[in-house]
Amino acid sequence: MTASLEQLRRCHFAVDLGAARTRVYVKGAGLVVDQPSTAAVNTRTGALMAVGEFAEKMTGRTPDYIRVVRPVSGGTVVDIEMAQRMLRQLIGDRMRRTLRRKPRLRAAACVPHDADPLAQRATIETLVGLGARRVELVDTLIAAAVGCGLPVERPEAAMIMVCGAAATQVAVLSLGAIVTAERVPVGGEAVDNAIVQHLRHQHELVLPSQSVRPLQLTLHGNGLTPQGPESTEIHGRDVATGLARSVRVDTAAVRRAIQTPLTAVLDGIGKVLRECPPDLVADLVDRGIMMVGGSALLPGFDQMLRQATGMPVNIAEQPELCAVQGLGEMLEGRIAPIVLDPLRA
């Protein structure tokens, strides 16, 4: 699935279609789009009302004839036509005209490690609709590892964990390839849902969709650890009466609710390590795990993994941009190809 470096050097732009955000890198221009993967549609006329951040702000605040949709789910395009319309608006007319002047326009795109042929085809069709004559697919794990500076081309282990909105991917890399990998269907959305369900069951409070992330940020400082703030005040809607209400929430209980879905991530890490050759596992004792993806910034998540695994856990400098930056490095030709000449008898 991962294209060769020579093929990627011929590409003119790269797209990272994530469940939460869409990012576009144009060769020679850098990162030109970094917006939520959201579109607002008028169901009466079919017209596109808004995309990106403005459409995200409209979530839960629209009249019944305007629907806010996400054409990408779990790193897979689920609505090709809407994804094309969203990308056209995000890229803009000027940049689209610039790209269309390229002879035989080529594109590159990230896809999850275990993406099936239908998911890969959906990604290709989306970019072909933008004018691409050829689309190269790159494994998200490889792109993210390159983007965060891991020595993937060396004969030693590098462990990466891509924390996405819908899923978490864990892999051990060596010699520029994936040795063993595991995809866990738990991501930032599962953590958000755990918080919402906890408040609904324990406090009979419905939390607005736009307030879940700020609640996580109230666990600032030590985040998921017991040294965090003891309580915080939350505003929402009462389940029974429908009236606005404020409650003071015990953050220790919120931390327990968050940790429940994250135990599946620990199981995925354990499975990858069990399937990995012993020599590579020995390399990971010192190097540890590199966390990338937007959900890697969940307060205290790295410390929780550090305590559970006993290995060093590091967060990339810009974790949410690692995959698209890795694609950009490959497009610009900054990555040296791996040369393994066979020995002659």
Side-chain angles (χ1 to χ4, degrees):
M1 178 175 61
T2 296
S4 69
L5 290 174
E6 186 60 35
Q7 290 171 321
L8 290 172
R9 285 197 189 98
R10 298 174 187 166
C11 294
H12 302 98
F13 71 103
V15 178
D16 178 18
L17 277 170
R21 297 186 76 86
T22 293
R23 299 176 177 93
V24 179
Y25 185 101
V26 175
K27 192 173 184 177
L31 187 65
V32 297
V33 173
D34 183 6
Q35 294 278 342
S37 303
T38 312
V41 185
N42 187 325
T43 57
R44 295 175 180 172
T45 63
L48 200 61
M49 305 294 294
V51 295
E53 290 182 357
F54 188 47
E56 182 87 359
K57 292 177 181 177
M58 294 169 67
T59 304
R61 303 173 185 270
T62 60
D64 57 0
Y65 66 90
I66 295 179
R67 187 165 56 99
V68 178
V69 297
R70 292 183 175 273
V72 184
S73 176
T76 301
V77 178
V78 294
D79 187 338
I80 296 176
E81 182 184 355
M82 187 55 64
Q84 290 174 349
R85 295 175 68 185
M86 180 186 73
L87 276 172
R88 288 192 193 102
Q89 293 298 321
L90 290 176
I91 293 174
D93 293 337
R94 183 177 177 183
M95 184 59 70
R96 262 201 343 270
R97 286 196 298 268
T98 302
L99 290 174
R100 284 188 176 275
R101 293 193 194 104
K102 307 287 186 183
R104 291 195 59 82
L105 182 66
R106 290 171 176 252
C110 283
V111 289
H113 173 66
D114 59 348
D116 57 49
L118 285 177
Q120 296 179 31
R121 190 67 194 171
T123 302
I124 292 172
E125 290 294 332
T126 300
L127 297 187
V128 167
L130 295 178
R133 300 288 296 276
R134 184 179 175 90
V135 180
E136 307 291 353
L137 300 182
V138 181
D139 197 305
T140 302
L141 292 165
I142 298 289
V146 171
C148 65
L150 286 179
V152 294
E153 73 283 356
R154 298 179 186 173
E156 52 192 48
M159 191 169 188
I160 188 166
M161 185 167 73
V162 180
C163 308
T168 300
Q169 301 177 72
V170 187
V172 174
L173 312 175
S174 181
L175 287 174
I178 296 173
V179 178
T180 178
E182 182 72 15
R183 182 179 184 271
V184 182
V186 172
E189 292 175 354
V191 173
D192 294 348
N193 186 61
I195 294 176
V196 170
Q197 293 302 318
H198 169 76
L199 293 176
R200 187 182 185 92
H201 294 152
Q202 300 298 323
H203 301 277
E204 297 184 349
L205 192 75
V206 178
L207 196 65
S209 59
Q210 303 290 331
S211 301
V212 178
R213 198 61 65 178
L215 173 58
Q216 293 181 9
L217 295 179
T218 61
L219 305 175
H220 63 278
N222 295 300
L224 299 177
T225 62
Q227 288 76 31
E230 291 184 1
S231 63
T232 184
E233 189 172 2
I234 301 298
H235 306 283
R237 188 186 71 187
D238 189 276
V239 172
T241 65
L243 300 176
R245 185 162 65 93
S246 299
V247 297
R248 184 154 289 276
V249 179
D250 179 17
T251 53
V254 176
R255 285 194 295 270
R256 288 192 294 272
I258 290 176
Q259 286 177 344
T260 300
L262 294 182
T263 54
V265 177
L266 297 178
D267 294 339
I269 293 174
K271 184 176 181 181
V272 168
L273 292 175
R274 286 193 299 272
E275 295 177 354
C276 189
D279 290 345
L280 292 180
V281 175
D283 293 342
L284 297 174
V285 173
D286 296 326
R287 185 168 291 122
I289 305 171
M290 177 66 75
M291 296 176 65
V292 302
S295 298
L297 297 173
L298 183 65
F301 190 16
D302 57 330
Q303 189 168 345
M304 173 188 170
L305 293 178
R306 199 174 293 118
Q307 292 174 350
T309 63
M311 295 193 301
V313 178
N314 303 300
I315 302 177
E317 187 174 346
Q318 291 180 301
E320 66 279 6
L321 299 179
C322 285
V324 72
Q325 285 177 342
L327 286 176
E329 294 282 319
M330 298 181 208
L331 261 62
E332 303 286 1
R334 297 178 188 142
I335 306 299
I338 304 166
V339 179
L340 294 175
D341 292 326
L343 296 176
R344 297 178 181 176

